Amino acid sequence: MFISLQLLHMSVFSQSFSPCGRFLAAGNNYGEIAVFSLSAALSPDASQASQKPILNFTAHDGPVFSLLSTDTHLLSAGNGEISAWSWAELIKKVRVSCSVNDNSLIVGGGDNNIHIMDMETGIFKSVLKGHTDYIHCLCFKEREEEILSGGEDGAVRIWDSRTNRPVHCIEVFKYEECARPQFGKWISCLATDSDWMLCGGGPSLSLWHLRSMSPTSVFPLPGCQREAVFYQDLIMSVGEGPHVSHCLHGGTVKAQIPCTPSSLNTLALNLKNTEHRVMTVGGSSHQIDVFTNFSYRAFSLSF
Amino acid sequence: MSSDAVKKRKPKVIRNETGTPETKRGRAEGDQAVRVYNEEVELEARDPQQDYMLYKDTCAALAKLMAEIQELKAGGAKSVEIEERRTQCSVHFITLKKLNRLAHMRLKKGRDQTHEAKQRVDVLHLQLQNLLYEVMHLQKEIGKCLEFRSQHEEIELVSEEEFFQEAPAEISRPHVTRDDQHQLTLARLDWELEQRKRLAEQYKMSLARKEKIQKAIEQKREYLSSLQPGLQNIMQASLPVQEYLAIPFEHMQKQAEVSRHLPPPLYVLLVQAGAYGQACDKNLSVSISGDVDEAKALSRPPEDSQDDESDSDAEEEQQNTKRRRATVGVQLDDKRKEMLRRHPLSLCVDLKCKDGSILHLFFYYLMNLNILTVKTKVSTTTDLSGAVSAGSLLNSESLLNCLYTSDHGKETPNPANRYQFDKVGITTFADYVSDLGHPYVWMQKLGGLQFSSDSALTGSALSASHMERTMKLLRGRLQARLALHKQFSSLEHSIIPVSSECQHLFPAKVVSGLMRWTMMSYQEFTELGFVQHVLKAGLVRETDLFFMAVVERGTARLLAAVVMNPRYPEVAPLFSLSLHWKGERSGRTDDNLQAMESEVNVFRSELQGPRPGLQLLTNQIQRLCVCLDVYLETESQVCDGSEGPKEFPREKMCLRTASTKPVIRVNFSKLRFIHNK
């Protein structure tokens, strides 16, 4: 149980939906992971209690910066360690950390390198070196099997996952239309949709065409964006400021939906499950806002 | 006959109508030649019937003569015949006269005889009456005699069998008494008398013995009391010995004597505190102060006071009629004063700390309300002055606030008092608290008074179960407050006093400095803009202490509003930040500031310092300065396009390798302070 003081200073850093789409796992700055039941929260007779986690456990010593769901497991990254939790166990409200039986896991770390780990054996297969500062975000382009990474040094590097060699390097801050020197040059969010790439952070959030390697549109959002995703024909991004921004590919900001936390760290879309298709955002508050209709906030889950 | 008699006696007739022999004789002697004529004798000789016939004849003759006279007169007769007849008539008249006389004499005689007879009858009657009276009297007397209950019947005599058994033969005389009831009773009475005499003798003897013994007792008593001064001297002489051996025997005796007059809760407190002090805590001492005589007066038996009261009531009545009755308000005031009356004795508990400062607690008992109150005083070895913001720290009003959570001592814990207050018009007890002391709940528990139904303990068990914890809390509170006092005085001089044990928590050089440290009121606190989230989260109460710290470096100014719970350091102070540097940011708007807030508020366990964690506040402030340094340096790093000199050159080495441990690791894109907790 959290005392009010802790709740006051809580920030949610990462979220992840379960493979079946009925559960949401969120990690906070105290190193705890809470599992919420979306089916309970979205059901017609939801009550205050159903907006509380069904399971709450301490995963790491430090804040849980990223959560990732595979088909069977939930991976959580903390201060220098990655833990894997079985979703089946978590749903049964038991927490057991165990090994995984999957292919590879790409980890971007504070040592400026990207590590690729074989999940069956747990051995690191390879290391991608190139960044000069630590890595903030990673995303994967399935079609071409390419890894995109963005880091503190302001560069977005594209790696070929088969050969493990860098393919491209884009230094976003060097482009005048995106650069915002007052915020710095770091890249904190990356998203890719085959030909398109979104990146933002210190520089403004911008949409890039990967073939031409040039920014096509820059979004005039005031704060630093921390996470952005493609959704249908919209781009949703969250960052500093208590709102979710809906933007169009053309570069206009269509809407800014207000949220509870004063600034947002993470955004997640539950696309695997059509019944519980929600968007959840979390940030510097102990509450996670749930959007059933992406245009307005429905309710909040709280730690 | 009569006319003859008349003729004879005419010349010398001595009429003797009375017939008394003396007179008759007397006359007879005077006149020897005279024959005595006694008509009475003649009377007896005559026959009344004959006289009556004579009377009739005479009347008839007279009538005839009268008629003849008449005839003659009418016929013109001669006066000689008339004369003759007239003479005859006169003779007849004389006869008639005699006859009349005789008749009268007969009547008189008859009357006299009757009278005499009557007299004789009267005398006899009288005698009869007398006799009858006497008879009646005698009968009454007999009756009375028969009714007479002799006193002897009221004496319970022993039964006959016992009597015959016990009494000696000369008294009982069975040969006589067996037959004669009267004698038996007499004998029994004799025996009774005998016995009583004997017992009276015995009684006298016993009385004499008792007197003797009484005298002996008196003598012995005097002897004992003569020993008293000697004993006193010995006690006096032994005082130095007692002190040397540290057994304050006499002092304890005196205290025991006085403590008999304590009201029960104070007594429980005294016993328990004394026991605790002896057993666990040498620095705790308990003493009784106050007016013992008044206390004795309170426990005086009620009959005396009732008599006094009735007398004084009577006096008062008189007085009241003489002067104006006191107004209703004054009466109510008096009733209030009566209700809030304190018992004249009070306990003083002294808690000494290692550095020589003492916390004096004065416990009072309010008799009608049945609660304990406390007043505090702190005496220190060093002079505590110069800390303006520390004014309320050691204030006796708020020193013991919230020793246990939410025990602010403004309301009376005894629910029954509510009804008593209503009767005399006291709305809040808080008005009287400054006068009478604070009625904290822990104190009632120490005195064994249980007002809630939380636990089944009462009395000494309750007191004992709370004593240790409360004493520790009290001491901790005093030490914390004293430490704060010292810290505040240096904070006001813009020096953050970091003790040597805590230096390792901070880097060697800290550039940001504390500029100002002031106290705020609850009102001022609620008006600040950047603390609303704290207020909304319900983390602030009116009983808390509020301070404002201003940390500055260059142009940047950081305002920190501090909420300090009275139970510092168990409850950590809460910081809310607002930064004025190139605009205004607060913990709500800026993630970095929020991170700094969590750094200081939440991740503070290592800032406690050595037990008992009194360095918490100063360490927190120092950490705030360090965070500000780091923030300003790296922030100005980040926003370089690199024109101009950096305002805050990097003076700290922020090590950013992954593997080193307890070092501030700054990750400013998502701005988290990562610590080893």
Side-chain angles (χ1 to χ4, degrees):
Chain A
M1 288 313 296
F2 293 105
I3 59 169
S4 355
L5 189 61
Q6 280 190 314
L7 282 178
L8 204 58
H9 292 279
M10 190 182 293
S11 296
V12 173
F13 283 126
S14 49
Q15 304 170 80
S16 180
F17 287 99
S18 65
C20 53
R22 290 193 315 219
F23 297 91
L24 172 69
N28 70 2
N29 59 334
Y30 298 120
E32 285 150 347
I33 296 178
V35 179
F36 298 88
S37 163
L38 279 177
S39 36
L42 291 170
S43 68
D45 49 345
S47 62
Q48 197 72 4
S50 53
Q51 287 164 4
K52 288 277 176 188
I54 57 169
L55 177 63
N56 199 331
F57 61 95
T58 309
H60 295 277
D61 280 339
V64 180
F65 285 127
S66 68
L67 285 173
L68 184 68
S69 272
T70 63
D71 291 336
T72 51
H73 287 86
L74 175 69
L75 299 167
S76 63
N79 194 9
E81 58 181 25
I82 302 174
S83 306
W85 316 87
S86 158
W87 265 115
E89 303 291 325
L90 288 177
I91 293 168
K92 280 193 270 172
K93 302 183 194 181
V94 167
R95 54 185 189 92
V96 167
S97 160
C98 63
S99 61
V100 295
N101 270 343
D102 243 306
N103 24 35
S104 40
L105 177 68
I106 307 167
V107 181
D111 60 349
N112 313 346
N113 300 326
I114 302 173
H115 300 268
I116 304 180
M117 187 178 85
D118 184 1
M119 294 221 271
E120 285 179 20
T121 55
I123 316 172
F124 282 99
K125 286 194 294 196
S126 49
V127 179
L128 304 172
K129 292 190 207 270
H131 278 280
T132 52
D133 216 333
Y134 51 82
I135 295 164
H136 279 296
C137 43
L138 288 170
C139 66
F140 193 69
K141 234 164 69 162
E142 282 110 10
R143 222 176 42 182
E144 285 98 3
E145 304 248 336
E146 281 175 351
I147 302 168
L148 287 95
S149 64
E152 180 76 12
D153 57 357
V156 175
R157 286 178 195 272
I158 306 174
W159 315 78
D160 187 327
S161 58
R162 287 168 294 213
T163 57
N164 293 339
R165 304 194 129 267
V167 174
H168 280 117
C169 171
I170 309 171
E171 288 186 324
V172 183
F173 61 94
K174 295 220 167 109
Y175 289 78
E176 260 188 47
E177 53 266 14
C178 324
R180 290 191 297 194
Q182 71 271 29
F183 288 120
K185 55 183 178 174
W186 41 277
I187 304 288
S188 64
C189 63
L190 269 182
T192 178
D193 183 23
S194 62
D195 294 330
W196 301 93
M197 176 188 80
L198 272 177
C199 67
S204 324
L205 185 68
S206 43
L207 183 67
W208 292 67
H209 189 237
L210 280 174
R211 284 196 209 278
S212 55
M213 292 293 158
S214 59
T216 46
S217 31
V218 175
F219 299 97
L221 293 166
C224 301
Q225 302 308 304
R226 301 209 183 108
E227 192 142 349
V229 292
F230 285 97
Y231 177 66
Q232 296 173 349
D233 53 348
L234 282 179
I235 291 162
M236 316 236 194
S237 85
V238 292
E240 280 176 8
H243 41 254
V244 178
S245 312
H246 291 209
C247 314
L248 297 169
H249 282 232
T252 49
V253 177
K254 179 176 149 204
Q256 290 196 312
I257 322 288
C259 322
T260 336
S262 55
S263 74
L264 297 160
N265 287 329
T266 160
L267 175 143
L269 286 170
N270 191 9
L271 300 167
K272 292 174 215 163
N273 190 327
T274 47
E275 276 177 15
H276 303 307
R277 181 187 294 260
V278 294
M279 175 169 78
T280 55
V281 296
S284 48
S285 157
H286 62 95
Q287 287 180 316
I288 299 171
D289 284 346
V290 179
F291 296 70
T292 44
N293 175 335
F294 295 171
S295 307
Y296 59 85
R297 179 187 82 91
F299 58 90
S300 301
L301 303 165
S302 68
F303 262 80
Chain B
M1 321 263 285
S2 64
S3 53
D4 297 330
V6 164
K7 275 175 186 173
K8 269 188 238 181
R9 288 208 186 134
K10 235 185 189 174
K12 287 179 187 165
V13 170
I14 298 160
R15 292 273 171 94
N16 203 344
E17 289 182 37
T18 59
T20 51
E22 292 84 27
T23 326
K24 206 169 47 176
R25 256 185 263 116
R27 298 267 160 151
E29 285 164 6
D31 210 348
Q32 289 154 356
V34 176
R35 278 198 290 181
V36 174
Y37 174 58
N38 197 345
E39 224 173 10
E40 288 181 2
V41 173
E42 191 187 337
L43 183 66
E44 283 160 22
R46 291 169 74 103
D47 180 26
Q49 279 298 108
Q50 274 180 352
D51 284 341
Y52 182 60
M53 296 313 297
L54 182 61
Y55 161 70
K56 265 190 176 167
D57 293 337
T58 318
C59 285
L62 202 57
K64 198 175 84 176
L65 280 171
M66 283 298 172
E68 281 174 10
I69 293 176
Q70 169 116 52
E71 269 179 37
L72 286 172
K73 276 202 173 170
K78 300 184 196 134
S79 58
V80 175
E81 287 171 5
I82 297 170
E83 252 341 291
E84 202 184 316
R85 284 195 176 77
R86 203 190 289 136
T87 318
Q88 280 181 343
C89 282
S90 324
V91 170
H92 285 309
F93 270 125
I94 292 167
T95 316
L96 279 180
K97 275 184 92 162
K98 177 148 179 123
L99 282 173
N100 183 34
R101 207 170 47 243
L102 284 177
H104 276 298
M105 282 168 73
R106 273 198 196 102
L107 188 63
K108 191 164 170 281
K109 200 173 158 191
R111 276 205 180 127
D112 285 342
Q113 277 174 346
T114 328
H115 191 68
E116 243 176 80
K118 230 169 77 169
Q119 279 205 330
R120 273 204 302 278
V121 164
D122 275 344
V123 164
L124 287 174
H125 193 72
L126 210 59
Q127 279 181 347
L128 175 65
Q129 290 270 338
N130 283 345
L131 285 172
L132 280 176
Y133 275 139
E134 208 164 321
V135 162
M136 214 164 66
H137 178 72
L138 283 174
Q139 273 179 345
K140 273 200 201 145
E141 289 293 305
I142 291 170
K144 267 201 224 155
C145 282
L146 285 176
E147 282 175 11
F148 176 67
R149 292 266 163 271
S150 159
Q151 265 197 340
H152 85 275
E153 292 181 18
E154 287 164 15
I155 305 174
E156 286 178 16
L157 301 170
V158 296
S159 67
E160 283 188 31
E161 300 82 31
E162 268 188 61
F163 165 68
F164 279 120
Q165 274 169 11
E166 289 177 0
E170 61 265 15
I171 296 183
S172 65
R173 290 175 286 140
H175 51 281
V176 175
T177 54
R178 284 212 190 273
D179 304 329
D180 192 351
Q181 258 317 76
H182 175 68
Q183 290 297 325
L184 175 63
T185 317
L186 282 177
R188 283 166 81 185
L189 285 172
D190 282 337
W191 172 236
E192 190 71 26
L193 183 65
E194 188 70 37
Q195 278 191 315
R196 283 192 186 196
K197 277 192 196 147
R198 244 186 267 163
L199 289 172
E201 275 299 316
Q202 277 181 358
Y203 172 68
K204 260 192 236 148
M205 279 185 351
S206 314
L207 214 57
R209 245 203 338 243
K210 178 176 148 200
E211 283 295 308
K212 261 195 287 184
I213 295 175
Q214 192 87 329
K215 279 208 194 85
I217 290 175
E218 276 305 315
Q219 274 179 354
K220 289 198 178 126
R221 256 207 201 120
E222 274 179 39
Y223 175 63
L224 280 175
S225 54
S226 74
L227 286 180
Q228 176 80 339
L231 283 174
Q232 278 291 93
N233 289 339
I234 295 177
M235 292 283 282
Q236 286 292 92
S238 74
L239 270 178
V241 179
Q242 282 177 32
E243 275 177 35
Y244 183 71
L245 290 176
I247 313 169
F249 183 65
E250 183 173 345
H251 174 70
M252 275 174 6
Q253 262 208 326
K254 272 209 199 105
Q255 208 176 54
E257 168 65 36
V258 176
S259 66
R260 268 196 284 143
H261 298 285
L262 281 176
L266 282 183
Y267 186 74
V268 169
L269 185 56
L270 171 72
V271 167
Q272 292 298 325
Y276 179 73
Q278 274 187 353
C280 312
D281 193 353
K282 294 284 173 264
N283 289 327
L284 184 145
S285 65
V286 191
S287 60
I288 309 177
S289 58
D291 196 349
V292 183
D293 294 326
E294 260 194 65
K296 282 192 197 151
L298 278 173
S299 55
R300 205 174 30 192
E303 300 96 40
D304 298 351
S305 53
Q306 268 179 11
D307 288 341
D308 289 338
E309 265 179 38
S310 57
D311 286 346
S312 58
D313 274 347
E315 284 175 23
E316 254 188 51
E317 296 286 353
Q318 291 173 1
Q319 276 189 333
N320 272 335
T321 51
K322 281 183 199 156
R323 62 187 158 127
R324 223 162 24 98
R325 212 164 257 285
T327 58
V328 176
V330 174
Q331 279 179 346
L332 202 58
D333 233 10
D334 290 339
K335 273 197 227 160
R336 265 189 226 145
K337 282 209 195 94
E338 179 60 35
M339 174 144 297
L340 298 173
R341 208 152 71 109
R342 285 208 279 231
H343 195 272
L345 292 175
S346 64
L347 275 189
C348 175
V349 176
D350 292 335
L351 287 168
K352 292 190 201 55
C353 298
K354 287 200 192 83
D355 61 349
S357 45
I358 311 176
L359 174 66
H360 301 282
L361 295 166
F362 300 98
F363 290 96
Y364 301 99
Y365 176 63
L366 297 182
M367 294 186 290
N368 292 323
L369 300 179
N370 196 29
I371 53 174
L372 292 171
T373 62
V374 71
K375 278 194 179 173
T376 58
K377 196 169 81 103
V378 177
S379 59
T380 51
T381 48
T382 56
D383 183 28
L384 290 174
S385 61
V388 174
S389 60
S392 65
L393 276 186
L394 291 176
N395 185 0
S396 93
E397 293 281 311
S398 61
L399 177 60
L400 295 180
N401 241 353
C402 298
L403 201 63
Y404 291 83
T405 328
S406 75
D407 185 5
H408 53 70
K410 285 249 180 321
E411 277 301 326
T412 157
N414 185 356
N417 292 152
R418 180 76 264 150
Y419 302 106
Q420 288 170 299
F421 286 166
D422 284 341
K423 267 198 261 175
V424 295
I426 299 176
T427 41
T428 49
F429 190 62
D431 303 333
Y432 301 92
V433 151
S434 49
D435 215 18
L436 298 170
H438 292 262
Y440 294 109
V441 176
W442 54 265
M443 223 166 30
Q444 316 304 327
K445 295 215 176 105
L446 284 186
L449 295 169
Q450 175 69 272
F451 295 120
S452 62
S453 47
D454 280 347
S455 78
L457 297 172
T458 47
S460 309
L462 182 64
S463 176
S465 62
H466 280 82
M467 178 65 66
E468 180 161 2
R469 183 148 173 248
T470 310
M471 288 300 156
K472 287 210 173 91
L473 280 175
L474 282 170
R475 199 172 258 118
R477 173 64 64 95
L478 177 69
Q479 282 175 334
R481 290 288 167 100
L482 286 173
L484 274 180
H485 209 103
K486 263 195 283 201
Q487 288 167 359
F488 280 13
S489 56
S490 71
L491 284 177
E492 281 182 4
H493 289 105
S494 308
I495 305 169
I496 306 177
V498 180
S499 70
S500 46
E501 302 105 354
C502 308
Q503 278 294 345
H504 67 279
L505 293 168
F506 310 108
K509 187 168 173 198
V510 179
V511 185
S512 308
L514 177 70
M515 283 302 128
R516 220 177 40 203
W517 173 262
T518 46
M519 205 175 95
M520 281 198 297
S521 70
Y522 176 64
Q523 208 50 37
E524 289 165 11
F525 182 77
T526 48
E527 284 160 12
L528 291 171
F530 52 91
V531 306
Q532 298 307 318
H533 60 284
V534 173
L535 286 169
K536 247 196 289 187
L539 291 167
V540 169
R541 276 188 203 84
E542 267 199 55
T543 46
D544 296 337
L545 305 164
F546 304 96
F547 302 96
M548 174 73 86
V550 179
V551 178
E552 276 182 16
R553 181 180 169 176
T555 55
R557 220 164 106 242
L558 179 71
L559 294 168
V562 186
V563 179
M564 189 180 299
N565 193 298
R567 286 173 59 214
Y568 175 86
E570 285 130 16
V571 179
L574 189 57
F575 282 74
S576 309
L577 304 176
S578 157
L579 179 64
H580 293 263
W581 180 58
K582 298 186 183 168
E584 185 179 336
R585 313 158 212 216
S586 81
R588 294 299 97 199
T589 54
D590 192 324
D591 273 349
N592 306 328
L593 282 182
Q594 201 197 11
M596 289 210 293
E597 277 181 5
S598 357
E599 214 27 60
V600 170
N601 287 334
V602 181
F603 302 119
R604 52 158 167 69
S605 44
E606 67 260 16
L607 291 177
Q608 292 263 353
R611 290 197 72 209
L614 298 174
Q615 306 289 330
L616 182 57
L617 181 68
T618 45
N619 289 347
Q620 278 180 315
I621 300 175
Q622 185 76 329
R623 169 159 285 173
L624 208 57
C625 295
V626 171
C627 291
L628 185 65
D629 272 346
V630 171
Y631 174 71
L632 290 172
E633 284 164 16
T634 46
E635 189 73 357
S636 54
Q637 281 261 297
V638 160
C639 7
D640 60 6
S642 294
E643 326 79 33
K646 301 202 185 62
E647 193 181 352
F648 304 110
R650 182 193 287 210
E651 300 203 7
K652 269 189 238 1
M653 291 298 292
C654 296
L655 301 171
R656 296 197 285 159
T657 50
S659 53
T660 46
K661 278 201 265 172
V663 146
I664 300 174
R665 191 160 155 200
V666 174
N667 185 341
F668 266 105
S669 52
K670 291 202 174 138
L671 279 174
R672 316 152 198 132
F673 287 91
I674 303 164
H675 259 257
N676 208 18
K677 279 171 272 307

